[in-house]
Amino acid sequence: MRRAISFLAAFVLCLGLMTPVSAEEFSDVPAGYIFYDAILDCAGKGIVGGYSDNTFRPAESVTRAQFCVMLVRAFYPGQEKNYAGLKAAGWYLPSAAVLDAKGVMFYGEKYWKDPSRMNVRITRMDMAQFIANVMSEKGYTVSDSARTAALSRFTDAASIDSYYRNAVGTVTALGIITGYDDGSFKPHNVMTRGQGAVVLCRMAQCMSGGAGNAVPVPEQKAPTTLANGKPVTEENVLEIINGLRKTWPEGSDFSVGYPVGNSSPVRNVTHPYPREENPETHTSNTLGCGGWATLVSDTVFTQNGFPVRKVPLAEARPGDIVIMLNADHQLVHVVSLLSRPQTDQSGKVSFTVSQASTDEKGVYRILWDSDYTYTPGGTYYYDVYTRYPA
């Protein structure tokens, strides 16, 4: 039974590469979405498809197997047919065999022929290695000094495995994969479908200068619209949040969490908080209250569209993430703001939030319109993070 379930899971994972859905019909990729153009381009070329419910699911993670197929469709189209006989052992294997024959596949044969190792989420440094290998195979290079300079920009360069350092330096120098707003690269973070479409487009752009002369991608401009394509206003933020009320009505079971929350830039600032009940652990951006707040933030501002910055509670707005802390600066709770905080004559600050909170059975449930009051000098205080443009 377990083997049958594993096969079904792998089949479901590849559906997003197979289902023919017109790019213009993606209900979750509105005009103005940060990855809109890249997704439109890749879908139009048949590199990545949509799902049968007319969604693209740009925040869903990409597996190693899926990225192999995407690379072959983009840069070695049709060559997987030469290895069609391998498909019975794994849906992605013909594409993986192409990459292996080209010298792009850096995993050993026992590794890339093992579906259990390939049907897992791909990390940023894994994707960087694939990209750098394809660029090299196609004849595009960067200088050692450019790689070194690119790596030196990252505050966490030491955490990049030595095997991947040259690849990360290459893709960074070319602007194919960029760092985070806090100056880090975060090599172990996973990549998403939307990001996968973007890097494929950037690879093609780099190749436009001719072999041996890769063209760096210009720095990307910050988006000016929300996930629904509308301007960044409190009214439009609340419109998206009110849509979530219908998807997640009062009392909804949130046990499943937000599986791709760890790819959100929200994690960069909220994860470091130690938890009150166990200071050895940190804020989750996938499960419980932290997962819900991250899901709301990404639904409004897109997963990678807007940087995160800290603001005073008095300046908070709907859609901001509020972290409740105890006197030892340990995390007690994470919520998503639904209203601007109001301060009374005594200095007390009140605000309304949505949250994931446990019921009497310990199951996380979605609660809307919960009221909180902050008393300066009291037992608890709050840190607030916003993704509204400064």
Side-chain angles (χ1 to χ4, degrees), residues 41-356:
D41 183 67
C42 286
K45 294 175 180 176
I47 297 171
V48 180
Y51 290 82
S52 58
D53 62 355
N54 291 345
T55 62
F56 182 79
R57 305 178 194 177
E60 197 166 272
S61 58
V62 175
T63 67
R64 293 165 175 163
Q66 287 174 328
F67 195 59
C68 287
V69 175
M70 293 164 70
L71 284 173
V72 170
R73 288 181 177 179
F75 302 107
Y76 307 100
Q79 296 189 33
E80 74 280 2
K81 296 176 182 177
N82 298 327
Y83 304 93
L86 295 174
K87 193 170 185 178
W91 65 273
Y92 70 91
L93 282 174
S95 294
V98 172
L99 297 183
D100 187 56
K102 296 292 183 180
V104 172
M105 181 64 72
F106 53 98
Y107 298 125
E109 183 174 285
K110 290 183 178 180
Y111 196 105
W112 65 260
K113 285 188 175 181
D114 182 353
S116 69
R117 294 179 180 268
M118 296 297 286
N119 286 320
V120 298
R121 301 187 299 175
I122 192 169
T123 64
R124 286 166 60 80
M125 61 185 179
D126 263 353
M127 188 174 281
Q129 190 68 59
F130 273 117
I131 294 169
N133 288 357
V134 170
M135 297 298 289
S136 177
E137 192 279 327
K138 292 289 187 180
Y140 299 89
T141 61
V142 298
S143 66
D144 290 340
S145 59
R147 274 194 293 268
T148 300
L151 283 170
S152 69
R153 299 202 301 263
F154 297 127
T155 57
D156 61 345
S159 69
I160 302 171
D161 295 3
S162 58
Y163 179 86
Y164 295 96
R165 289 178 67 83
N166 281 342
V168 172
T170 295
V171 300
T172 304
L174 293 174
I176 296 175
I177 299 181
T178 56
Y180 290 88
D181 293 311
D182 64 356
S184 64
F185 182 78
K186 302 195 184 302
H188 298 282
N189 277 14
V190 297
M191 298 289 277
T192 66
R193 284 167 54 81
Q195 292 169 334
V198 169
V199 299
L200 293 175
C201 289
R202 290 176 180 171
M203 289 172 70
Q205 186 174 346
C206 286
M207 293 179 187
S208 64
N213 186 30
V215 180
V217 177
E219 185 175 350
Q220 302 298 301
K221 295 182 179 180
T224 58
T225 56
L226 300 170
N228 60 1
K230 295 184 178 182
V232 184
T233 66
E234 292 181 40
E235 180 181 10
N236 291 334
V237 166
L238 285 171
E239 179 182 319
I240 298 175
I241 291 176
N242 286 332
L244 277 174
R245 289 177 183 264
K246 299 177 181 179
T247 307
W248 297 90
E250 182 80 9
S252 295
D253 186 336
F254 193 62
S255 300
V256 66
Y258 178 45
V260 297
N262 283 346
S263 297
S264 172
V266 170
R267 179 176 172 81
N268 299 340
V269 294
T270 61
H271 180 66
Y273 288 97
R275 300 168 66 182
E276 182 181 47
E277 67 272 24
N278 184 358
E280 298 301 317
T281 61
H282 293 263
T283 309
S284 173
N285 299 97
T286 59
L287 300 173
C289 59
W292 172 250
T294 304
L295 182 153
V296 174
S297 181
D298 284 354
T299 302
V300 172
F301 295 100
T302 76
Q303 190 172 53
N304 295 282
F306 293 81
V308 184
R309 58 191 175 86
K310 190 174 181 179
V311 295
L313 179 60
E315 297 178 11
R317 289 175 280 184
D320 288 350
I321 290 177
V322 181
I323 297 181
M324 182 189 297
L325 304 164
N326 65 16
D328 294 322
H329 208 70
Q330 295 170 334
L331 179 137
V332 177
H333 197 34
V334 185
V335 297
S336 181
L337 200 62
L338 296 178
S339 68
R340 277 183 174 258
Q342 301 295 318
T343 305
D344 64 17
Q345 294 181 345
S346 68
K348 291 183 179 179
V349 183
S350 58
F351 48 92
T352 304
V353 307
S354 68
Q355 61 184 321

